[in-house]
Structures are given as structure tokens and as C-alpha cells.
Amino acid sequence: MSKNKDKSAKRTIITIGVIVLIIAALGGAVITFITDYLWFKDLGYTTVFLTKLFSIIKLLIPSFVVFTLIVKLYLSFINKDYHKKMECMTFTASEKTISKVGWLISGIVGLISGWMFSTQLWYEFMSFLNKASFDIDDPLFGLDVSTYIYTIPLANRLLKILIVFLILLMVATVVYYAFLMTVRRPKMFNGTKAETQSQPGDDFSGESFQERYAREGEDAFRNASNSANRGYGNSFGKGFGSAFSKFGQGGYGGQQNPFNDAGDAVKNVINEKFTGNWRELLQLAKRQVIIIGIFFFACLAINFFLNQFDLLYHQGSVVYGAGFVDANIYLWANRILCVLAVASAVLFAVGMARKSIKVKLIAVCPALMIAVYILAIIVGLLVQNFIVAPDEINKESQYISNNIAMTQHAYGINNIEEESFAAETALTAEDIAKNDAIFQNIRINDFEPTEQFYNQRQSIKQYYKFNDVDVDRYSVDGDYCQVFLSAREIDESNINSQWITKHLKYTHGYGITLSKVNSITSSGQPDILIQNVPPESQVDEIQITRPEIYFGESTDNYVIVGTDEKEFDYPLGDKNVYNEYEGTSGVNLTPINRLLFAIREHSMKILVSTNISSKSKILFARNIEERVQKIAPYLSYDSDPYLVVNDNGELFWMIDAYTTTSYYPYSEPYSKAGLNYIRNSVKVVVDAYNGDVDFYVVDENDPMVQTMAGVFPGLFKSIDKMPADLYKHIRYPKALFEIQAEMYTKYHMTDVSVFYQGEDQWDIANEVYGQEEVQMDSNYFIMSLPGQTEEEFVLTISYTPTSKNNMTGLLLARCDGDNYGQLKLYRMPKGKTVYGPAQIEAQIDQDPTISKEFSLWSQQGSTYLRGNVFVIPVEDSLLYVEPIYLQSSTSSSLPEVKRVIVVYNDKIAYENTLGEALESMFGTNIGDLNHVGEVDAVGGDAAAVDGAAPAEGTTEDGGSAVLSQSEIIAKANTAYDNAVAAQQSGDWAAYGQYIKELEGYLRSLQ
């Protein structure tokens, strides 16, 4: 009795625990739902938020009803057949109760199936209803591409839901039969009908089936044991000897084997109680088995039907998509299998419906399906090896052509404008001067050194951090200039972990740092134009009026504004300046909202803090990537947002958003991402102060963004609505450009024979970066294109033939105004060798002066680093520029730009600045470029550091004067003393510079 009580108590505790967990789970979901609604409402995207909810409800209710009615009708058949065919002994439930249980089971199955259908397929279903046509048909089936992106994926997922529903239906069948047998126990489980009728006096109404089986099994074994004992009635020795002597002869002293008796008894019980009963049960459930069997084969037929479309994504040996064997063997095999699956459903129903089940009739089509499947594989291999392979180019040409055309369109590389580039070698100083805007904007600084410099010199306090450096273009003193800029954000890992400090006081970052890409200081570091806190700007066109950054790349914590605790704004000397948030963003913390957010953020401090009032607001999901993902998760987002300053001095984040899919027919996937269609259709703008988010459609011709706009009305705005001072900062994204560039290495070949042979395969060019050879990144430039007079912002990358280093093409994307998004390829002449970046790097390595200085710099605790090679089209020629950095081995050292290399027409100029290198290469008549990026040498003049004889000095009136021998010796002694001092202080970079300076003076004495 006590054991039963313990079990009952345990069951009660478990039940209560499960209920609590369910309430907690549902409660958390409700809290998240409500607070998310408040967040969407604050941003003005209530319609977007409710679209998902209403879509799920619209699908859940009808799907729940349909699934429930199907299951209820099915269970009604079971109940009807059970009463009709099964003779029952007990009746412990009424028809009304049985019907209620049937509705309960049906409702559970219907709810699970409907919930899966509505929550997992709502977006696919709504996209299917709103799908926009691509106006491009696939070449094999002649269906619009939208069918493959929306219809077929939806059908595949529906099939999976149906399979789950079938499994649930089978479980429901077992449960319902078990319930019926419990409340209306059939006589068949109390013995055979004959036994029951011949012994009317026997009453086992109170004995369960399991108890009766156990009792009868025990009786059978008892009888077998008695028989065995009788066989061993003689003495032990005699009985044992008799048994031994008869061993192998099938007898025990002439008597029946007692173990045979026991085995026969058990076999009889099994045959009578199980085999017979289950046969009767199978007859009873025949209709249900037929229904489930038809359902199964129907799913199989649908699967084979959909499998034929998968051939469009098959990776063959020479073509991506359906090839000759796919279109002529495997396609028809799938269609035959589909027909056989339908026939299997029919024959299964016919075979099961017979009074005596026809197994052979049922098995014939499944056997044929297996045979067809194996035969298709064998025939496919034979056709590939003996028909296609000997004449592959002709057999596969049609399919290769399909692959080329569809891949080009999927990646947007079908409209690249190709133009021949002469690659002449006749540049003059006048040409350089005429294109001064190009050279005024060549990036001498690099991203990583600039980021390090910003963090060391401009982070101001330990709790500020620059996450990365972005490149953009602005008007600086009336000139169109390329600049670096970065946001100074709060480094949340370096502030006090107290709740008030993290969530009420340190609420925002502050200001930006900006520098020109080509301008460096005397120490070889970026020459900063906007710096410090508050921001100090040397650029009239860029004045920061709203420097606070509440929303950024590293703002991962929620903050509460409008509290009694003053917000830290920025440090000022030994004091701090405080402010209050004046923006419109945030959810008001009313008493109810405080409770909701306290639960959501798992913080009772939100609820009990006396600093918070009803006027306070909570700002959460402040990370800009999380913010846009939360609003529109069905777009893909660029991993590199960049900061923009508008004309009013306010800060905005710009994020490139993409529509992508992996279901574009015949389009080869991009290996690094698995997608095979991409468009940069949307530009997202996030206000760094208010957190407002706007989605602007920049490519209105993209059917995928048109479909999404149909699903989410009110989400997108036309690009015409973007403010002009933000629109001028949109740029062609590097991520998309590099995907297109990589795909174009193969798919620029449109001739089928050339494509098949791979005769003109390209590679992205290599360069030496740091001290290692790597594949080039794309780079932004400001330049006037050949034949154009106006400078524009472009993105470029270089091509070389596969396994070769000479340059074959220069791909660029235009970023400005009406030219935005245009792709242009400059093809190098095939009749001459045009040096590629790797060959330029080899020339640099072979230059004795450069090699010698690199070796010197690599000694005594310093090292040189090579920046990107910039391939610059000027007039009809190509010019190459590479900056060189020097970095000491000390932990706090920064890379410094010390030299600039210019390579043109087999000539190399290696100087302190770009202006000097251009002057060395082309002469003195290069206009204002003589002093571009000029940098003074450390501890002496530039000529001395460069190793040239410092034969001239400067007079007080600015004129030049030849140094005397004694003056040169004095300067040499000074350089030596400086080198010794630098060595003693461990400043090996300066030591190298002074040694180089000393070398120059000593040479001049020879």
C-alpha cells in the first residue's frame, strides 16, 4: 500500500513539475512577444511584426481544422470497423465517451501538424502567394525561375510535414486501438471462440489479457514439466544412462521428449494467442492499413516527382545542372518511379482489400521500383562512359550553354561592359599632372595600421574602442577625397560591471576619428582631420553636431535613459561631462513595462531601482546588426557596416543587405557560401543616435525583393526617398563584388568549346601583403576612368590567367550617382605581356637598393611590412603603387609608412613619399603632386635617410647651400650618437633610421 502511495506521490510531483515548466516556457514566450511588440511599435514597424503573427494564425486555424477532421474521420472508421468486426466481452465506456476521446486524439494530432505547418512554412507560403516572376524560364522544364525559388521548396517542406503527419497518424492509430481494447475488451484475448462457447461456465471477466496469458503459459510449462518428470521416473543412474544411450535417436527411453512437449505447448500458446489474434487484428484494421499504405506511396510518388527538379542542381564533371545523362536517363527514371509509386498505392489497396491478403500483388510494384532505381544507375554509368565521354563536347554543349547563361544572370555578371585596354607605356609628367585627383587619393595608409593607430592615439580612455576602420569619400576643402573614418564606441568589457554603470551611466560612445587615406605625419602615421572629444574638425565641410553613438557595432547591452542617474557623455580633463538622452527612441518603463523587462532581462534591478521612473526609457537590441536582423531576418546582411556623416553633422550607419537563394536552376553555387543567386537590393540606414531603421530598395528589378515587399507591406522605401546627403555615400559592396569577381574568373567564357576546355580560365591576382603572398582584396579608388574627365568612386580587382602571373583584366564597379552598380572590365591586349601584381612584387624583390634596405630593416629588432599593390589605370597605361611600413618589435609599436614604391614600364621609384616617387619616375613637371603624402625623416632630412648624398643644406632664407665636409662629419656624428641612444632605449625602428642616415653621410664623404 505504501509503495502505491509513494508512486502516486512521485507522479503528482512530476505532473506539477511539468505544469510549472510549461507555464514558465509559455510565460517567457508571452513576455518576449509583448516586449518585442513594444520594440517594433517604437520603431514604426508594427505592421511588419504583426504580419508574421497574422500569417501564422491564418494558416494555423484552417490547417488545424483540416488535419483534425481528417484524423477524426479516420478514427471514426476505426471505431466503426471495431464494433462491426470485433466481438467484445466488456463495455466500460459509452459511444459519447469514445467520440470525445477520438476528438481529443484528433485535436492533438491536428494541433501538432497545424502548428508545424503554420510556424515553419508561413514565410514560404506567403512568399509563394506573393511571388514575383523572374521572366526567365529554365531550359529543361520551361518553368519560370520563381517556381524553383518559391513553389518547389514549399512543396518539399510540405512533403516533410505530411510525412510527420503520417507518423502521427500511425501513433494515433495505435493509441486509439489500445483505448478501444481497454474500454471494450474483445473475447479473442480470453481464448479462442470455440473455447469460450464450449465452457460457458468459465468466467474470466475480472482477469486481464496479460494475467490470462501468464496463467495459461504457466499451465503449459507445468504440464511439460510433469511429462519430463515421468520420463525420468527410474533411478538417476539408469535414467541418465538411458537418456545418454538414446541421445541423437530422437527418444528418451522410448518415451516422447519432454522438452518437445514444453516447446509444443509454448508454440501452441503463441500460435493461438498471438498469431491468430494478430491476424484477426490485421483483418480488423485492414481499412486503416490501406489508408496509411496509400498515404505512404502517395508521399513516395510526390518525392520522386520533386526529385526530377533536383537534377537542375547536379554537379557533373563538366557542367553544373542537368547534363546529358540527367536529362535523358535520370529524369525519366524519376518519372517512371513516380508512376510506379502511384501504381503501388493502387495495388496495395487492391491486395489488402481481398479476403486473403495478396502479398505478391502488393510487392510487385515496390520490387519494380527497386529494379528501376538500380537499372537507372547502371544505364546512366554506361551511357556516360560509352556514349557521352567519347563525344562529350557535343553531347554536353547544350547543357554547358544553359549553365553559363543561368549562372551569369544569377550573379548579375551578364551585363559586364568589356572594353579593350591598350596598356601603353608612354605616360608623361603632363599625364600625371592632368590626373592629379587619382594620385591625391591613392591609399598610402592601410586599414589595420590605421585601426591600431586610432586605438592607441584616439581612444582617449580605456573604455573607448574603435572596432574597425571604414573607407568612404567626402568633400575636403573643396576636393573630392577618399578618407578613413571610425566610430569611437564604448568598450563594454572595460567598464565597471556594476549594473548602474553598465546600464544607466555608460550608455553611449562618442564621436569619430577621420583621416585622409593618402596623408601621413612626419612619423609615417595617418594625418588626422577629425579627432578628440568633443570632436575637433579641420574640415569645414564635416562638422560633428551629434556625436553620441547609442546604436553601433558593439552596443550589445540594453541601457535605460531618462533616469535620475546622469549619463556619462565624455571626459574633459580631470572631470567628466554628463548629459541626458534627447532622442525619441526607447520603450517607456511604465510599471507594467518595468515588470515585463525585468523578467525579459532577468534583472530585478529594473523593477526595484529608485533611479527609474515612468519617464525612463529602455533601449535594447542596440547592436545595429541585431537590430536589422530582428526587423527583416529574411535578408542577408553585409558583415561590414560603415559610418556616414550627413550634411548636418549627424551620424548614421549604412548596411548593405542582400537577397540570396540556393535554388536558382543551372547556376553554380559560390563555394564559400553555398548560394547561387545574389543581389544587393537593399541599403539599410540606422540612426546612430535615435536608432531609427530605414530599408531602401536600390534594385527594384530584383524579383526576390519584390516578393518580400508583397509579404511585408510597409517595410521598404524607394531609394528616391533616401536623403541626398546619405545617398551620395552609398557604395558598391566589397562582399558582392568579390563574389561576382570570383564567379567571373570562369563564367566570362561564353564560348562553349572554350568553357569546356577551360582555355581562358582566370584567377584573382596575388600580391605580397605584410611578408606573405596572398590573394588580392578589392580596393576602392577615386579616379577618372579612361576616356572620362570626372573623378568617381570605384571598386577594382585584378585578374591573371590561371597558373600565370601576367595581368589579363581589371574589373571595376562604379559607385557614384547614375553610374552606381555598373560593372566594367578592362581587358589587357593578348599580344603583349602586361605585368600582374605578383610580377611587380618580384621586380621589387629583385631591386638591389630596395632589397638591401629591407634586409637592414629586418635586423636590430624591426621589420618591414608591404602594403597592398594598387593597380591604377592612367590614360591608356597601368601604374603600380605600393606603400612600405616599418615596425619595431616592441609591443606598443605601430607600423609607420616609410617608403612608397611606384612601378611603371620596368622602372621602379623608391622614395619617402608618393610625390617624390612620381617625381623620380616622371620628372619634376607633375604639378601639385610633388609633395603628395610628404613625410619628414626621423632625425634628419629625407635625402639622408634615403641614402642619397646629403650634399645640400637649407639657409635661413629658405635657399639651398652645399654642406662642407666638416658639416657633413658633424651631422654624421650626430646621427651616430642618435643611433646609440636609440639602441640603448630599445627603439630599434629609430635605430635603423639613424644608421641609414649615417650611411648616407658617409657615402657623401667618399
Side-chain angles (χ1 to χ4, degrees):
M1 194 71 175
S2 60
K3 290 184 178 180
N4 291 334
K5 286 184 177 180
D6 290 341
K7 289 182 179 180
S8 178
K10 287 181 180 179
R11 282 197 296 267
T12 302
I13 293 172
I14 292 172
T15 302
I16 293 173
V18 170
I19 293 172
V20 169
L21 288 174
I22 292 173
I23 293 173
L26 292 177
V30 171
I31 295 295
T32 301
F33 175 82
I34 295 173
T35 51
D36 278 349
Y37 171 77
L38 295 172
W39 185 83
F40 274 87
K41 182 180 179 182
D42 175 56
L43 283 171
Y45 286 109
T46 306
T47 303
V48 174
F49 177 79
L50 295 178
T51 294
K52 178 178 180 179
L53 175 64
F54 289 158
S55 297
I56 289 175
I57 292 173
K58 288 177 183 177
L59 292 176
L60 176 59
I61 293 174
S63 61
F64 166 72
V65 171
V66 169
F67 283 126
T68 300
L69 290 177
I70 289 173
V71 178
K72 183 61 177 72
L73 181 62
Y74 172 76
L75 296 182
S76 297
F77 288 146
I78 292 178
N79 189 33
K80 182 178 178 181
D81 289 345
Y82 187 86
H83 285 293
K84 181 178 179 181
K85 299 178 181 179
M86 188 66 71
E87 185 177 358
C88 300
M89 294 187 64
T90 58
F91 298 86
T92 59
S94 64
E95 280 296 327
K96 188 175 182 180
T97 301
I98 293 174
S99 179
K100 288 180 179 179
V101 172
W103 278 112
L104 176 63
I105 295 174
S106 301
I108 293 173
V109 174
L111 182 61
I112 294 172
S113 303
W115 180 259
M116 291 176 60
F117 174 76
S118 58
T119 56
Q120 295 184 18
L121 298 184
W122 77 269
Y123 180 71
E124 287 82 355
F125 194 81
M126 297 303 295
S127 297
F128 167 74
L129 295 179
N130 292 275
K131 68 177 180 179
S133 174
F134 279 69
D135 294 326
I136 297 175
D137 295 340
D138 84 277
L140 186 61
F141 298 99
L143 301 175
D144 188 84
V145 169
S146 61
T147 304
Y148 299 96
I149 295 178
Y150 299 112
T151 307
I152 294 174
L154 175 62
N156 275 303
R157 298 197 66 182
L158 273 172
L159 178 60
K160 293 177 181 178
I161 298 294
L162 289 177
I163 291 172
V164 173
F165 175 69
L166 176 60
I167 295 171
L168 291 173
L169 196 64
M170 294 169 66
V171 173
T173 302
V174 174
V175 171
Y176 195 59
Y177 267 119
F179 166 72
L180 289 176
M181 291 178 184
T182 300
V183 299
R184 296 191 171 181
R185 187 158 47 84
K187 291 181 179 180
M188 60 183 289
F189 289 133
N190 293 297
T192 63
K193 292 182 180 180
E195 291 173 338
T196 304
Q197 292 173 357
S198 63
Q199 301 176 18
D202 292 342
D203 184 10
F204 299 110
S205 59
E207 187 176 31
S208 69
F209 164 71
Q210 291 86 352
E211 291 170 341
R212 180 179 175 85
Y213 170 70
R215 178 179 58 76
E216 293 185 353
E218 289 174 1
D219 291 344
F221 276 106
R222 189 179 299 114
N223 292 334
S225 299
N226 292 335
S227 177
N229 290 333
R230 287 193 299 270
Y232 288 99
N234 297 325
S235 66
F236 177 77
K238 183 179 179 181
F240 183 80
S242 176
F244 189 80
S245 66
K246 299 294 183 180
F247 185 76
Q249 299 180 21
Y252 285 80
Q255 299 182 18
Q256 183 180 356
N257 188 339
F259 292 104
N260 285 343
D261 291 341
D264 291 342
V266 173
K267 188 184 297 184
N268 290 335
V269 171
I270 293 174
N271 288 335
E272 292 177 7
K273 307 304 179 184
F274 282 94
T275 306
N277 291 345
W278 287 114
R279 284 177 180 173
E280 289 189 42
L281 284 175
L282 184 59
Q283 290 294 329
L284 171 66
K286 185 179 290 186
R287 187 186 302 188
Q288 289 72 50
V289 173
I290 291 173
I291 292 172
I292 291 175
I294 291 174
F295 204 127
F296 169 77
F297 283 111
C299 289
L300 202 59
I302 295 171
N303 180 67
F304 286 127
F305 176 78
L306 295 175
N307 278 350
Q308 64 181 329
F309 302 111
D310 289 343
L311 297 174
L312 297 174
Y313 314 105
H314 176 232
Q315 179 65 71
S317 58
V318 297
V319 63
Y320 182 85
F324 183 90
V325 173
D326 298 311
N328 293 280
I329 305 298
Y330 299 140
L331 173 60
W332 289 102
N334 275 293
R335 290 174 174 175
I336 293 170
L337 288 169
C338 179
V339 172
L340 287 174
V342 173
S344 295
V346 174
L347 293 179
F348 180 83
V350 173
M352 287 295 298
R354 298 289 180 88
K355 187 172 183 180
S356 177
I357 298 173
K358 304 297 183 182
V359 177
K360 292 182 179 180
L361 186 63
I362 294 172
V364 61
C365 280
L368 285 174
M369 290 167 65
I370 296 172
V372 168
Y373 182 82
I374 296 172
L375 184 63
I377 294 174
I378 295 172
V379 172
L381 291 172
L382 292 174
V383 170
Q384 176 64 38
N385 287 286
F386 295 103
I387 297 178
V388 176
D391 190 26
E392 197 166 45
I393 182 60
N394 291 318
K395 290 293 188 293
E396 299 285 16
S397 61
Q398 174 189 345
Y399 307 103
I400 293 174
S401 179
N402 297 339
N403 175 209
I404 294 172
M406 299 297 279
T407 301
Q408 284 189 340
H409 184 271
Y411 290 95
I413 54 178
N414 55 316
N415 292 320
I416 292 179
E417 181 184 348
E418 293 194 5
E419 184 176 318
S420 297
F421 190 81
E424 300 289 352
T425 57
L427 272 182
T428 64
E430 289 74 17
D431 294 326
I432 300 298
K434 185 171 64 174
N435 291 276
D436 64 327
I438 296 177
F439 299 99
Q440 294 283 2
N441 286 284
I442 291 177
R443 178 164 59 81
I444 302 302
N445 297 304
D446 210 346
F447 290 93
E448 292 181 13
T450 301
E451 181 183 338
Q452 293 179 43
F453 179 75
Y454 283 6
N455 275 305
Q456 282 205 17
R457 304 294 173 84
Q458 279 296 304
S459 59
I460 308 296
K461 295 290 186 178
Q462 79 277 5
Y463 43 74
Y464 283 133
K465 181 181 179 181
F466 296 93
N467 289 294
D468 66 357
V469 172
D470 302 313
V471 65
D472 203 350
R473 68 282 198 197
Y474 286 83
S475 178
V476 177
D477 298 329
D479 295 325
Y480 194 45
C481 294
Q482 187 177 186
V483 302
F484 283 137
L485 73 162
S486 185
R488 185 184 292 105
E489 297 191 57
I490 288 288
D491 184 359
E492 295 173 349
S493 64
N494 280 330
I495 60 176
N496 194 301
S497 60
Q498 293 179 349
W499 183 81
I500 288 179
T501 304
K502 291 186 69 172
H503 300 291
L504 272 63
K505 184 170 288 292
Y506 287 85
T507 57
H508 58 277
Y510 199 87
I512 67 168
T513 295
L514 181 145
S515 60
K516 292 176 67 175
V517 300
N518 72 317
S519 181
I520 50 180
T521 66
S522 60
S523 62
Q525 300 293 0
D527 187 13
I528 298 177
L529 300 180
I530 299 178
Q531 60 184 331
N532 299 335
V533 289
E536 300 170 2
S537 176
Q538 301 176 33
V539 184
D540 293 337
E541 295 95 331
I542 311 175
Q543 299 294 327
I544 309 300
T545 60
R546 179 58 79 183
E548 299 91 346
I549 301 172
Y550 282 85
F551 302 87
E553 293 181 279
S554 63
T555 48
D556 298 321
N557 284 332
Y558 71 89
V559 296
I560 300 174
V561 297
T563 67
D564 293 337
E565 184 71 31
K566 292 183 178 180
E567 297 177 51
F568 169 78
D569 202 25
Y570 60 88
L572 186 64
D574 296 333
K575 299 180 181 180
N576 291 329
V577 177
Y578 298 90
N579 80 329
E580 290 186 8
Y581 181 66
E582 299 175 351
T584 58
S585 184
V587 177
N588 287 319
L589 288 178
T590 62
I592 293 177
N593 288 349
R594 288 180 71 172
L595 174 62
L596 293 173
F597 282 101
I599 297 172
R600 179 186 178 117
E601 300 296 340
H602 309 291
S603 175
M604 286 298 295
K605 293 182 176 65
I606 296 177
L607 193 61
V608 301
S609 175
T610 57
N611 290 307
I612 300 174
S613 67
S614 295
K615 296 181 180 179
S616 302
K617 294 181 178 181
I618 185 170
L619 309 180
F620 69 103
R622 296 191 302 136
N623 184 291
I624 56 174
E625 295 183 48
E626 176 191 358
R627 202 167 182 82
V628 297
Q629 281 277 1
K630 197 176 182 69
I631 297 171
Y634 301 101
L635 290 167
S636 299
Y637 295 94
D638 200 293
S639 60
D640 185 28
Y642 60 100
L643 197 66
V644 172
V645 184
N646 73 355
D647 290 349
N648 296 326
E650 299 164 328
L651 305 179
F652 294 84
W653 294 98
M654 196 165 285
I655 309 173
D656 288 290
Y658 309 95
T659 54
T660 63
T661 183
S662 301
Y663 298 119
Y664 201 98
Y666 268 111
S667 174
E668 183 170 336
Y670 176 63
S671 59
K672 297 178 183 178
L675 57 86
N676 68 354
Y677 173 91
I678 184 169
R679 291 290 186 275
N680 173 220
S681 302
V682 179
K683 304 287 185 181
V684 188
V685 176
V686 183
D687 190 324
Y689 185 75
N690 266 321
D692 297 331
V693 183
D694 293 300
F695 295 80
Y696 296 98
V697 176
V698 71
D699 183 2
E700 295 180 347
N701 296 321
D702 176 22
M704 290 195 71
V705 83
Q706 293 173 11
T707 300
M708 197 175 295
V711 176
F712 298 104
L715 174 60
F716 299 113
K717 299 178 181 178
S718 171
I719 193 65
D720 298 335
K721 303 295 183 182
M722 180 183 285
D725 54 355
L726 295 179
Y727 180 79
K728 65 184 179 182
H729 291 286
I730 67 171
R731 66 187 192 189
Y732 202 85
K734 287 185 67 173
L736 172 62
F737 182 70
E738 289 175 358
I739 290 174
Q740 291 174 314
E742 184 167 328
M743 297 306 298
Y744 203 62
T745 59
K746 178 179 179 181
Y747 285 95
H748 69 277
M749 298 179 286
T750 55
D751 183 273
V752 171
S753 297
V754 174
F755 185 93
Y756 174 77
Q757 298 290 345
E759 296 175 9
D760 196 21
Q761 182 86 26
W762 294 347
D763 284 332
I764 305 296
N766 287 349
E767 65 177 353
V768 176
Y769 185 77
Q771 292 187 3
E772 297 181 359
E773 184 169 337
V774 297
Q775 188 180 81
M776 289 185 73
D777 288 331
S778 57
N779 289 293
Y780 290 103
F781 292 103
I782 288 179
M783 65 173 66
S784 55
L785 302 184
Q788 305 288 327
T789 57
E790 188 174 346
E791 293 80 26
E792 57 183 292
F793 198 52
V794 299
L795 181 61
T796 72
I797 202 164
S798 302
Y799 288 123
T800 62
T802 297
S803 303
K804 293 185 179 180
N805 289 323
N806 60 291
M807 191 165 166
T808 189
L810 180 69
L811 181 67
L812 62 84
R814 307 174 77 175
C815 300
D816 289 345
D818 295 337
N819 295 322
Y820 174 83
Q822 293 180 12
L823 299 178
K824 196 177 188 72
L825 176 75
Y826 289 108
R827 275 186 177 266
M828 301 300 116
K830 293 185 178 181
K832 69 164 68 173
T833 298
V834 179
Y835 289 145
Q839 291 173 317
I840 296 299
E841 300 281 24
Q843 281 187 270
I844 293 172
D845 287 334
Q846 294 166 7
D847 184 275
T849 302
I850 298 174
S851 177
K852 183 178 180 181
E853 185 154 272
F854 282 177
S855 297
L856 178 66
W857 280 352
S858 297
Q859 301 170 7
Q860 305 298 334
S862 62
T863 185
Y864 73 93
L865 302 171
R866 294 161 75 158
N868 296 117
V869 175
F870 303 117
V871 182
I872 305 163
V874 182
E875 299 296 324
D876 291 327
S877 301
L878 288 179
L879 186 142
Y880 307 85
V881 176
E882 179 176 273
I884 304 297
Y885 301 86
L886 184 67
Q887 183 175 22
S888 74
S889 59
T890 57
S891 59
S892 60
S893 68
L894 293 171
E896 299 174 351
V897 179
K898 292 304 179 186
R899 297 289 185 272
V900 178
I901 300 174
V902 173
V903 181
Y904 175 69
N905 191 25
D906 291 328
K907 297 179 181 179
I908 298 178
Y910 178 68
E911 303 293 343
N912 297 317
T913 67
L914 176 59
E916 291 176 5
L918 291 172
E919 183 178 357
S920 173
M921 177 71 69
F922 296 100
T924 57
N925 188 25
I926 56 174
D928 296 331
L929 295 175
N930 298 75
H931 305 289
V932 170
E934 191 167 19
V935 54
D936 294 330
V938 179
D941 81 20
V945 175
D946 193 48
E952 294 184 346
T954 304
T955 63
E956 292 182 359
D957 60 1
S960 61
V962 177
L963 297 175
S964 66
Q965 186 177 27
S966 60
E967 288 174 328
I968 294 174
I969 293 173
K971 286 182 175 291
N973 287 329
T974 301
Y976 173 80
D977 292 338
N978 288 336
V980 172
Q983 182 185 35
Q984 292 173 347
S985 64
D987 189 352
W988 296 109
Y991 172 81
Q993 293 288 344
Y994 291 129
I995 290 297
K996 189 65 177 175
E997 182 182 347
L998 175 61
E999 180 185 1
Y1001 288 125
L1002 294 177
R1003 284 182 181 178
S1004 66
L1005 290 173
Q1006 296 176 353

